[in-house]
């Protein structure tokens, strides 16, 4: 019995289909399967030079590698340098983005300094920024005890801190720890 259509033996993609390619009975399929002799396209395959420098493609007469377009001059203009004085104009979300999104960058240190200037304190153990809540923060301050909010970088939102405030006070960086020092000065 003969195998059905589409098996390993018969069909266009079976062994019988491969036999048609090997026998070169169909010119189009043969060119697709076996490829083209690149020397017929005018390429010197014995040269040690890179092919990409000489061959622009099979569908073009121009074999140069030069682009055929002009970039507008605005692409060549460097953006203005970000000055640390600009940080005071940024929103809290941008400062938190710089702090959490640019680790080991000088801007991270300047963002930390600006956050500290805005009454935010970095807690080393929690690795979060905290601030004592004020009436505009949307926290009920009714009982008079100090309440803190923190910036949750996972949800990118300010949240009310419900943990122990006594444990919190010990882990904040001091102003001196947050201050950016230029060069090797230690003051």
């Amino acid at each position: 019995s003969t195998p059905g259509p589409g098996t390993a033996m018969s069909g266009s993609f079976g062994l019988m289909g491969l036999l048609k390619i090997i026998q070169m009975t169909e010119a189009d399929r043969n060119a697709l399967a076996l490829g083209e002799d690149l020397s017929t396209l005018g390429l010197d395959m014995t040269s040690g030079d890179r092919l990409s420098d000489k061959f622009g493609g099979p569908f073009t007469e121009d074999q140069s590698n030069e682009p055929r377009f002009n970039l507008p001059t605005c692409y060549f203009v460097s953006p203005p340098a970000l000055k640390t004085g600009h940080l005071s104009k940024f929103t809290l979300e941008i400062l938190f983005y710089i702090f959490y999104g640019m680790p080991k960058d000088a801007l991270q240190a300047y963002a930390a300094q600006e956050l500290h200037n805005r009454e935010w304190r970095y807690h080393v153990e929690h690795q979060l920024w905290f601030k004592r809540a004020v009436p505009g923060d949307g926290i009920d301050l009714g009982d008079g005890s100090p309440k803190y909010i923190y910036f949750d970088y996972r949800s990118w939102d300010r949240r009310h801190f419900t943990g122990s405030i006594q444990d919190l006070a010990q882990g904040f960086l001091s102003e001196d720890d947050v201050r950016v020092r230029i060069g090797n000065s230690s003051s």
Side-chain angles (χ1 to χ4, degrees):
S1 83
T2 60
T7 65
M9 287 297 292
S10 67
S12 298
F13 303 105
L15 290 175
M16 297 307 283
L18 180 62
L19 182 61
K20 288 181 182 178
I21 292 172
I22 293 172
Q23 292 174 343
M24 298 185 189
T25 57
E26 297 179 33
D28 292 339
R29 190 176 293 191
N30 183 45
L32 181 63
L34 301 179
E36 189 69 36
D37 181 11
L38 296 179
S39 62
T40 62
L41 298 174
L43 296 173
D44 181 12
M45 300 308 293
T46 60
S47 172
D49 296 335
R50 293 186 331 183
L51 180 62
S52 62
D53 291 339
K54 298 178 183 174
F55 186 59
F59 306 111
T60 180
E61 294 296 321
D62 181 19
Q63 300 301 327
S64 69
N65 230 7
E66 294 298 318
R68 296 183 200 132
F69 55 87
N70 295 319
L71 286 176
T73 56
C74 63
Y75 281 88
F76 300 108
V77 176
S78 299
L82 178 63
K83 297 180 177 149
T84 57
H86 294 153
L87 293 175
S88 64
K89 299 174 185 171
F90 289 168
T91 64
L92 282 174
E93 287 76 14
I94 292 174
L95 291 172
F96 286 125
Y97 171 78
I98 292 170
F99 181 81
Y100 287 112
M102 300 178 178
K104 299 181 182 177
D105 191 304
L107 279 177
Q108 182 188 38
Y110 285 108
Q113 184 172 297
E114 179 61 29
L115 286 166
H116 196 275
N117 291 343
R118 295 185 190 188
E119 306 300 322
W120 286 86
R121 301 296 179 254
Y122 187 73
H123 196 278
V124 178
E125 184 179 327
H126 293 293
Q127 296 183 344
L128 295 170
W129 284 93
F130 289 83
K131 178 182 177 244
R132 190 167 182 168
V134 294
D137 290 328
I139 304 289
D140 180 26
L141 304 173
D143 65 359
S145 64
K147 298 196 181 348
Y148 284 87
I149 58 173
Y150 69 96
F151 185 80
D152 184 2
Y153 62 87
R154 291 174 199 90
S155 64
W156 212 254
D157 196 16
R158 290 174 247 181
R159 299 190 179 274
H160 178 243
F161 179 70
T162 56
S164 169
I165 293 176
Q166 288 78 18
D167 296 336
L168 195 62
Q170 300 301 323
F172 290 132
L173 289 179
S174 69
E175 181 178 358
D176 193 46
D177 291 334
V178 176
R179 185 180 306 129
V180 175
R181 293 175 189 86
I182 299 174
N184 293 332
S185 86
S186 59
S187 58

